Amino acid sequence: MAGSRRQGAKRRWEALLARPLLLPPSAFLTLSLRRLARAHPEAFVRLGEHAQRIYLIAPTDLPLAFCLRPAGTEGAIRLVAAGDAPEAAVRIRGALLDLLQLFDGTMDADAAFFSRRIQVEGDTSALVALHNALEAADLTLADLIGAPRPTRDLVNRGLSWTTQRWRSA
Amino acid sequence: MGSIELVCPAGSPPMLRAAVEAGADSVYCGLRDETNARNFPGLNFSPAEMNEAVTFARDHGARVLVAINTFARAGADETWRRSVDTAVAAGAHAVIVADIGVLSYARQAYPDLRLHLSVQAAANSAEAIAFYAESFGVRRVVLPRVMTAPEIATLAKATSVELEAFVFGGLCVMAEGRCALSSYATGRSPNLSGVCSPPEAVSFETDANGLTPRLAGVAIDRFAADEAAGYPTLCKGRFEAMGDTSYLFEDPVSLNAMTVLRDLRAAGVKAIKVEGRQRGKTYVRRVTEAFRGAIDALDAGRDCEPFARMLTDLAEGGRETEGAYKRKWR
């Protein structure tokens, strides 16, 4: 009991200390999200009322989680320490590679859920809306990092090669 | 197109493009409202997207079938009529309809419009099909998933209307679309609201006991950490009765009729249909490629069974069945 209290306190301290370090990547990801919203406004329309919800996306192989509010050009992504996870409408957990493949649609979300590769909790309506909006937006990993349009195919091929090597390693 | 038309699902424009590029002859999709039976958040097409979809499909030698296949609500039938108008304006090859009133409107307003009878209408006898053909000029009937291949062969001999049969995807234990279970538990059902087990009624809990899916707050299953899961519909729930815990109605399992494709073609089936508009572009691309390959193999006199095992990981619960085509249940 005392051990788990100590562990909890340690995680909270780690989360507190990590916060300043996570601000710059959070700002970069927010800029990328807003750029996506300008390029693909139709995808955010599909989210409807769920655009203002908070989605917590937690890679199980990273000490971080992504706190997403996909409110179009007002949206934001905040990186948080895994032990500092805030309240969210939906929580999605899985390996980072699987989450990236769900983002660009190269992995079937239902199959990932059926096989238990990803775990989901919270408001299923919001989850379904996010899945359908991502599907309809037809995004690629190049969109995620904000690669310039002329370089997109090249960047996608490179990222695809890298992720395949990463998975087989 | 081969000897059998391959009809694939699209819940979004990229999914439609994926289906066409993977070899679908036709793609079916719906408008973003309660007039189609996959009325899920974020899914389906706006009228503008439908226009673009029809143009894209036509440019690639494929056809778009618009599903307007829920039953019109009293006092709100204008919504269903407007969907028919939108589909016609987009240039859809056909509309897939279940409701007699909507069929009547479509027939009268657009006499040349090709009408397909939705599986939701549950027509499985020559007499029922003849009624729809004579009354509304229905050209094709999508068959309920409760018929065996020999029954379909008998039916095909007794009708000149084209028959379309499901070959892949989810299964319903109820008469098609008439699910009292979803309505009883959540107040919404496939035939009235376009959703089975609507997502706002679904929740998942993960704890030390495993994954517990709930529908309208009621636990309907529990999966161990490494056990394949399914979407929480009541018909696929696992319950305790008489001291045993089991799937009382139906297992979480998907239809895969690849191995009876030859029988279906011999029975006189004109088109085969893949279920799953809510699944996504990876799903539709892989299923379309597999069935395209199987139809082409069949037409070339080769065995199509090698294609049957390419899709197991996409199945609900990771398991497949030939359903009623090789009936073990009714």
Side-chain angles (χ1 to χ4, degrees):
Chain A
M1 194 69 179
S4 81
R5 267 206 304 275
R6 270 198 301 276
Q7 278 288 333
K10 182 168 176 275
R11 274 200 297 272
R12 281 194 292 279
W13 270 107
E14 283 171 354
L16 195 65
L17 292 170
R19 277 180 198 174
L21 296 174
L22 297 176
L23 285 175
S26 297
F28 172 77
L29 289 170
T30 295
L31 277 175
S32 290
L33 173 70
R34 293 179 180 182
R35 195 163 40 227
L36 274 181
R38 285 192 292 277
H40 301 275
E42 72 287 351
F44 291 80
V45 169
R46 284 178 183 268
L47 282 163
E49 61 185 302
H50 303 297
Q52 298 294 338
R53 313 297 293 278
I54 301 291
Y55 296 82
L56 186 78
I57 302 161
T60 49
D61 41 6
L62 287 183
L64 303 166
F66 300 84
C67 193
L68 164 69
R69 187 171 61 87
T73 53
E74 304 293 314
I77 300 180
R78 191 158 57 92
L79 265 178
V80 296
D84 196 19
E87 283 293 309
V90 178
R91 292 173 294 283
I92 306 167
R93 290 188 174 82
L96 178 63
L97 273 181
D98 289 345
L99 294 172
L100 288 172
Q101 289 196 297
L102 289 174
F103 171 82
D104 73 359
T106 50
M107 178 180 282
D108 181 65
D110 284 40
F113 172 74
F114 295 152
S115 63
R116 312 293 295 279
R117 291 180 81 113
I118 60 162
Q119 294 87 47
V120 297
E121 284 180 294
D123 183 337
T124 309
S125 276
L127 178 72
V128 168
L130 179 68
H131 166 247
N132 289 331
L134 282 174
E135 273 286 331
D138 212 11
L139 300 173
T140 66
L141 293 177
D143 292 307
L144 188 64
I145 61 169
R149 186 166 287 275
T151 67
R152 279 184 50 168
D153 286 348
L154 190 64
V155 170
N156 278 325
R157 278 201 295 275
L159 288 172
S160 174
W161 182 84
T162 306
T163 52
Q164 279 167 17
R165 291 292 295 252
W166 186 357
R167 191 178 285 288
S168 59
Chain B
M1 193 171 79
S3 59
I4 313 179
E5 180 180 330
L6 177 56
V7 183
C8 295
S12 67
M15 200 172 165
L16 180 136
R17 292 194 289 273
V20 170
E21 286 165 1
D25 298 308
S26 304
V27 183
Y28 66 101
C29 49
L31 292 160
R32 203 177 302 159
D33 58 31
E34 61 186 322
T35 66
N36 97 73
R38 284 292 180 274
N39 183 23
F40 286 91
L43 205 64
N44 300 314
F45 288 64
S46 69
E49 288 170 339
M50 191 65 80
N51 290 340
E52 291 167 14
V54 171
T55 302
F56 177 86
R58 193 171 287 157
D59 289 349
H60 290 77
R63 301 183 284 222
V64 171
L65 318 175
V66 179
I68 305 170
N69 56 347
T70 50
F71 291 84
R73 261 187 307 114
D77 44 1
E78 173 58 27
T79 306
W80 277 259
R81 287 200 289 269
R82 199 166 50 240
S83 286
V84 174
D85 298 340
T86 303
V88 171
H93 176 70
V95 292
I96 308 167
V97 182
D99 183 281
I100 287 176
V102 181
L103 280 167
S104 176
Y105 170 75
R107 180 67 171 163
Q108 287 172 27
Y110 307 101
D112 296 330
L113 176 61
R114 185 177 169 87
L115 295 174
H116 292 187
L117 188 69
S118 168
V119 67
Q120 305 268 9
N124 64 351
S125 69
E127 291 77 10
I129 292 171
F131 167 76
Y132 284 106
E134 289 161 15
S135 305
F136 309 111
V138 162
R139 307 270 291 277
R140 179 181 295 180
V141 169
V142 186
L143 295 174
R145 284 164 276 191
V146 292
M147 300 179 71
T148 63
E151 282 175 338
I152 294 173
T154 304
L155 182 62
K157 289 191 182 82
T159 180
S160 58
V161 175
E162 294 173 8
L163 301 180
E164 180 175 302
F166 276 93
V167 290
F168 194 86
L171 274 172
C172 285
V173 73
M174 294 292 172
E176 303 283 353
R178 313 293 179 90
C179 180
L181 288 174
S182 176
S183 186
Y184 175 74
T186 71
R188 300 179 78 203
S189 65
N191 50 321
L192 293 177
S193 327
V195 281
C196 164
S197 305
E200 71 270 14
V202 170
S203 62
F204 300 99
E205 289 173 14
T206 308
D207 58 22
N209 296 318
L211 174 70
T212 304
R214 291 179 186 273
L215 186 66
V218 178
I220 61 169
D221 210 335
R222 178 165 292 147
F223 300 102
D226 55 352
E227 189 180 5
Y231 191 78
T233 57
L234 267 184
C235 60
K236 293 175 183 172
R238 194 159 33 176
F239 304 100
E240 189 179 307
M242 312 282 284
D244 289 329
T245 302
S246 65
Y247 294 104
L248 288 182
F249 302 101
E250 185 181 358
D251 290 5
V253 59
S254 289
L255 173 70
N256 185 352
M258 189 83 81
T259 57
V260 292
L261 213 50
R262 189 185 298 276
D263 297 339
L264 292 175
R265 187 181 66 167
V269 165
K270 166 82 175 171
I272 56 169
K273 182 168 225 161
V274 173
E275 187 272 347
R277 278 188 279 158
Q278 73 280 27
R279 290 293 296 264
K281 52 186 180 280
T282 300
Y283 166 90
V284 77
R285 186 178 293 115
R286 284 188 52 200
V287 180
T288 303
E289 283 172 353
F291 275 92
R292 178 80 274 151
I295 293 170
D296 292 347
L298 209 56
D299 289 348
R302 299 195 308 271
D303 191 359
C304 63
E305 287 204 18
F307 297 93
R309 287 174 290 280
M310 294 169 62
L311 304 170
T312 307
D313 62 304
L314 293 174
E316 186 171 11
R319 291 186 296 134
E320 297 171 313
T321 174
E322 287 148 333
Y325 295 128
K326 289 187 177 175
R327 181 186 294 150
K328 297 186 182 105
W329 51 270
R330 175 120 194 171

